[in-house]
C-alpha cells in the first residue's frame, strides 16, 4: 500500500504494543489510521471511501 507517495514496507507500519490514540491521514481513495505515539500507519488501517471496489453502489443508499 502507499501512504502519500511512499510505498510502505513492513517496518513502516506501527509496531507499538497498544495504540491508545489514533489520528487519520486522508488520501484520494480513503484514509489511514495513524498511531499518535509513533506516527506510523496501522497495518490494517486503510479504509476506502464509498464502498470502493470499482462498482457503482449509489442504489444501495436509496433504500
Amino acid at each position: 500500500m502507499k501512504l502519500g507517495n511512499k510505498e510502505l514496507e513492513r517496518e513502516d507500519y506501527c509496531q507499538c504494543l497498544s495504540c491508545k490514540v489514533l489520528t487519520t491521514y486522508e488520501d484520494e481513495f480513503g484514509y489511514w489510521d495513524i498511531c499518535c505515539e509513533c506516527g506510523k500507519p496501522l497495518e490494517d488501517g486503510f479504509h476506502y471511501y464509498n464502498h470502493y471496489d470499482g462498482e457503482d453502489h449509489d442504489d444501495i443508499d436509496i433504500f
Side-chain angles (χ1 to χ4, degrees):
M1 299 266 346
K2 282 188 166 187
L3 179 63
N5 292 330
K6 182 182 179 194
E7 189 69 36
L8 295 174
E9 302 295 328
R10 181 161 255 335
E11 63 272 357
D12 294 328
Y13 292 105
C14 174
Q15 302 295 320
C16 297
L17 296 176
S18 65
C19 193
K20 296 181 175 110
V21 181
L22 295 175
T23 189
T24 58
Y25 171 82
E26 295 197 26
D27 194 325
E28 183 178 351
F29 298 107
Y31 64 93
W32 282 97
D33 293 326
I34 306 289
C35 175
C36 287
E37 294 178 34
C38 68
K40 294 181 178 181
L42 303 183
E43 188 165 359
D44 294 326
F46 188 78
H47 308 277
Y48 285 102
Y49 293 133
N50 196 18
H51 312 287
Y52 184 77
D53 60 5
E55 295 183 23
D56 183 12
H57 294 281
D58 289 339
D59 58 334
I60 293 174
D61 298 330
I62 293 174
F63 301 104

